[in-house]
Amino acid sequence: MDKQINGHITALGVQICVVGDGTQDDFISITDIARYKSDEPKMVIQNWMRNRNTIEFLGVWEEIHNPRFKGIEFDAFKKEAGLNSFILTRRNGFLLHRL
């Protein structure tokens, strides 16, 4: 079944879209959450996605939920996270998800 907007939740006065497919696997919009900090959520998300703590969280999440996760290959991302030169792009984000 395709993902569809199930509703909204409100946190700190910000309306956040909830998307799901009827199972327990619902998702919330990080773009909506980022709007709490800035009218330019893209920049907030970009900064968040290069943060070392975020990358480490994603690694732990993948270890728990992805039986094909390759921790050794993930270490390259984790090593670069937090550096000024590190940017998690769609391409290497896709690769991260495939590890």
Side-chain angles (χ1 to χ4, degrees):
M1 186 185 301
D2 290 337
K3 303 266 186 247
Q4 57 187 336
I5 296 175
N6 291 343
H8 295 86
I9 58 174
T10 302
L12 300 173
V14 176
Q15 193 172 27
I16 302 167
C17 179
V18 178
V19 177
D21 60 5
T23 67
Q24 290 183 336
D25 295 331
D26 290 340
F27 301 90
I28 60 173
S29 170
I30 62 172
T31 303
D32 290 347
I33 294 169
R35 284 192 180 103
Y36 175 75
K37 288 283 189 186
S38 172
D39 291 334
E40 293 291 333
K42 178 180 176 181
M43 298 304 292
V44 174
I45 294 168
Q46 183 177 7
N47 287 334
W48 176 68
M49 293 302 292
R50 60 192 289 210
N51 181 291
R52 183 173 199 66
N53 293 330
T54 301
I55 300 301
E56 289 176 354
F57 171 81
L58 292 173
V60 170
W61 190 94
E62 289 289 342
E63 284 179 19
I64 293 169
H65 298 284
N66 181 358
R68 297 179 309 163
F69 180 69
K70 299 175 184 166
I72 293 172
E73 293 179 27
F74 173 75
D75 285 343
F77 287 102
K78 193 164 73 172
K79 181 180 171 186
E80 292 181 31
L83 298 175
N84 289 335
S85 60
F86 179 73
I87 297 174
L88 186 60
T89 63
R90 286 183 184 155
R91 175 160 170 69
N92 62 17
F94 173 76
L95 294 175
L96 170 65
H97 181 68
R98 303 296 285 172
L99 295 178

